[in-house]
Amino acid sequence: MTFRKILLSWYRKNARALPWRGTRDPYVIWLSEMILQQTRIEQGLPYFHRFMAAYPDVGALAAASEDELLKLWQGLGYYARARNLLKTAREVIEKHQGTFPGNYNDLLKLKGIGPYSAAAIASFAFGEKVPVTDGNVFRFLSRYSGSVIPIDTSQARNNIRDLAYSLMGDVDPGTFNQALMEFGALHCVPAQPVCHSCPFSHACAAFQTGQVQQIPNKKSKIKVRYRFFHYLVCIFRDVRNSPVMAVKKRQGKDIWRSLYDFPLIETQTIRLPASQELQIPQPLRQLLKTKPCWTSPEIKHVLTHRTIRSKFYLYDLPSRITAQHLPDGYRLISPEDFHSLAVPRLIDKVWRERIEPRIKKIVAKQMTF
DNA sequence: AACGCGGGGCA
DNA sequence: TGCCCAGCGTT
C-alpha cells in the first residue's frame, strides 16, 4: 500500500463532516480558511456559521463596514484577519469582477492569504496540485520522516512541503490535502499520539527510532511579557443629561488594533503613579485629580505571548460634555449602545460582569431623586 | 530570520 | 505554566 492509499483509506473512515467540505465555492473555502488560521475548528465553527448567515457571498461581505465586521469577529483574536478579509473582499469585487483568482500564485497576492491558505483554496476549490502545509502537516510529516531540524526554520518547512508534494499523486489533490491535515489533527496529535494504532507506524521514522516525543523539534520558545493597563471609565452627561462614556478606537500597530476600548494609561508596574508623574494628555490628567467612585481589583488577561495586568477605575462625572471636548480619536457612546462596539475580550468581560451593573445602579439612583 | 498578533483548551 | 491551534504581515 502506498502512503496515499493508506491515508485516503483512513480518511474515508474518520473524516469529520465540516460545513466547508463538499463545496468548491472559493468564497466559502476562503472564509473558512481565514477564520481557522491559528484557530481550533471548534472555536471557529460558530463564527463561520454567523459569517455565512450575515454575508452569504463575497459581494455582501465587501459591502460591510469595518466596525460591523469586527463586531462579528469579536472574540476570535488576530483582528488583522478581519481587516484583511474586508480588504480582499473589496479587491475581488472591484478588481476581479467578483471572482476569486483561480490559481495558487494569484491567490497569494491577496491580503491575508499566505502559502498555506493559497494552497488550501487552490487545491480545494480548483483542484490544483499544491501541498498544504499547516501545523498538522508539519507535525505529522516531520515525525514520519524523522526530521529533527527545528520546524520553525525555512529549511524544515521546505523539506516537508517537498515531501508532501512527492506523496500526493495527481488525482484529487484537494482530498489528499484534507486527509493529510485531518490525520494530523485527529491521530498524529501533539501530545501522546496513539502510535500503536497508527496505520503509518511501520514506516514512521520517529516511531521506529523512539523519537515521537521529541519531534517536531522547535528552536524558539515563547517568552511571556507583562503589560499594565489602567482603564479610566468616564461617565459624563450629554446635552439631554443622559449618561455617556468616552471610548477610543485603538490605532497604530499595537495589540487590539481597530477595536474599541476606554481611555487607557499604560504603566511599567501595577501601581498607578500620581498624575503629575505621568506623561499623559491633559484631559486624563484632570480626571486623575478626582476620585473614582469605584476601583476594580487587578484583573489578569492571559494571552499567548502577553499577560495583561489591568485595573479599571469608574468615574461618575456630573459635568456635561460634547464630543468637541474630547481629544482626537475619542467618541462618546451611551451605556445602552456599548454592546454594539467591537471590543477586546478583556473589556467585554469586565464590562458585563463589573461595570455595566454599577452604571445601572448609578443611573437608577439619579432618576429617583 | 525574528517578531508581534488573541483567545481558548489541555496536560 | 507552557504549548498548540487549518498563519500572516512587517521589519
Side-chain angles (χ1 to χ4, degrees), chain A residues 348-360:
Chain A
D348 183 49
K349 279 188 184 164
V350 176
W351 168 258
R352 283 186 286 103
E353 292 171 9
R354 305 185 191 239
I355 300 177
E356 190 182 23
R358 288 188 166 83
I359 290 182
K360 278 187 173 158

Side-chain angles (χ1 to χ4, degrees), chain A residues 39-40 42 44 48 126 146 176 240 250 257:
Chain A
T39 303
R40 290 171 195 279
E42 310 85 76
F48 174 79
F126 306 120
F176 178 87
R240 298 191 314 265
R250 292 179 62 84
R257 176 178 171 189

Side-chain angles (χ1 to χ4, degrees), chain A residues 68-172:
Chain A
E68 176 190 334
L69 204 65
L70 283 162
K71 184 63 196 180
L72 212 49
W73 197 273
Q74 176 177 305
L76 246 196
Y78 287 162
Y79 298 94
R81 291 184 291 170
R83 297 192 302 267
N84 291 334
L85 197 69
L86 187 56
K87 178 159 187 167
T88 288
R90 289 177 177 170
E91 180 109 1
V92 167
I93 291 296
E94 287 162 21
K95 296 190 179 157
H96 301 270
Q97 294 77 47
T99 308
F100 273 85
N103 62 78
Y104 175 86
N105 284 111
D106 291 333
L107 286 163
L108 206 49
K109 296 173 186 163
L110 297 171
K111 272 282 186 254
I113 300 183
Y116 162 74
S117 299
I121 301 166
S123 64
F124 302 159
F126 306 120
E128 187 174 344
K129 186 181 173 183
V130 276
V132 289
T133 46
D134 74 333
N136 295 308
V137 176
F138 286 131
R139 181 176 56 255
F140 173 26
L141 292 186
S142 64
R143 283 174 178 163
Y144 182 77
S145 63
S147 170
V148 293
I149 303 171
I151 203 66
D152 49 346
T153 60
S154 54
Q155 196 200 344
R157 285 161 185 268
N158 288 340
N159 290 347
I160 300 290
R161 184 200 58 204
D162 294 348
L163 174 59
Y165 184 83
S166 73
L167 294 170
M168 72 192 303
D170 296 314
V171 182
D172 199 357

